[in-house]
Amino acid sequence: MKSRSAVRSPFWPGAIVVVLLLLASGVARAQGLAVLPVNIQMAPGQAASTLTVSNRGDSATSIQVRVYAWNQPNGDRLDATDEVIASPPLATIPAGGSQVVRLLVRRPPLGREATYRILLDQIPPPASPGTVRVVLRLSIPIFAEPPARVAPDVRWRVEDDAGQAYLVGTNIGTRHETVRNIVLVTAGKVPLKVEANVSPYILAGATRRWRIVASGALPAPETSVHLSAHTDTGTIDETLAVAAGP
């Protein structure tokens, strides 16, 4: 989820391995760091929240916190923004200590949910020649609701695009939807495998595609498949027509 102009890795000497974790729930733990929460939901009228980073390692570690606007024009994109302030943006956490990061939304969202992502980077100490350091990067979503009631409204279809089938969800609603445990089955009761490791979020006004990687024959246009899945707002149980691609 990187924007070439917005998300740049700072220069660090030595060999570095960056670990990117995209999290939706629970507590993030890696390299001695624990972060809570990993999904920030701001209610209508709420302008501030906090993030707690705990160092469970045996030595001090430094972190950098940056906030980006998160959109899905054609896949996930992060853009520089001044709409959310993170304080402090840099911190050193002693072994066994913790750091509270305060988040402030400067302008309340209007009309639909506003979405952002926090990139939290662990800043490594200088590396010795020939060593490899594993550096943690967490990408944490922020969902800020406007005063008006918001709700997702996802329309589903299966689309054939030049011989490749996709499950497509278009969210015409005003709030994100989270989709997990997707199961697709053809009218002939043949299960279809959907690509894994895809972000489960469909933001308001956005479209997300999951590539169907079935081992057997892909569904042809004008046929149908059955979709079942779990979302934040309930279960999905629909029969979808397979349409020809654009």
Side-chain angles (χ1 to χ4, degrees), residues 85-98:
I85 297 174
S87 178
L90 294 167
T92 297
I93 309 174
S98 62

Side-chain angles (χ1 to χ4, degrees), residues 196-241:
N197 301 321
V198 175
S199 171
Y201 299 112
I202 310 176
L203 302 186
T207 295
R208 182 173 288 285
R209 302 203 307 175
W210 287 260
R211 185 166 58 93
I212 297 175
V213 288
S215 56
L218 293 172
E222 311 306 326
T223 60
S224 65
V225 299
H226 184 267
L227 166 67
S228 61
H230 294 94
T231 74
D232 287 346
T233 55
T235 59
I236 301 171
D237 186 10
E238 297 184 26
T239 298
L240 312 176

Side-chain angles (χ1 to χ4, degrees), residues 85-177:
I85 297 174
S87 178
L90 294 167
T92 297
I93 309 174
S98 62
Q99 174 67 55
V100 174
V101 178
R102 292 171 174 81
L103 304 166
L104 175 65
V105 178
R106 299 177 63 186
R107 290 181 287 274
L110 297 174
R112 71 181 187 185
E113 178 184 66
T115 50
Y116 309 93
R117 272 193 178 270
I118 301 166
L119 291 191
L120 188 153
D121 291 295
Q122 185 180 29
I123 303 174
S128 302
T131 63
V132 174
R133 296 187 183 277
V134 178
V135 179
L136 172 68
R137 168 173 287 180
L138 297 178
S139 179
I140 299 169
I142 302 175
F143 303 105
E145 294 190 14
R149 182 181 179 274
V150 291
D153 184 1
V154 181
R155 307 298 171 89
W156 295 95
R157 67 184 185 276
V158 173
E159 182 178 276
D160 181 276
D161 187 356
Q164 174 61 61
Y166 294 88
L167 173 66
V168 183
T170 298
N171 186 359
I172 64 173
T174 51
R175 185 184 186 276
H176 77 280
E177 184 64 284

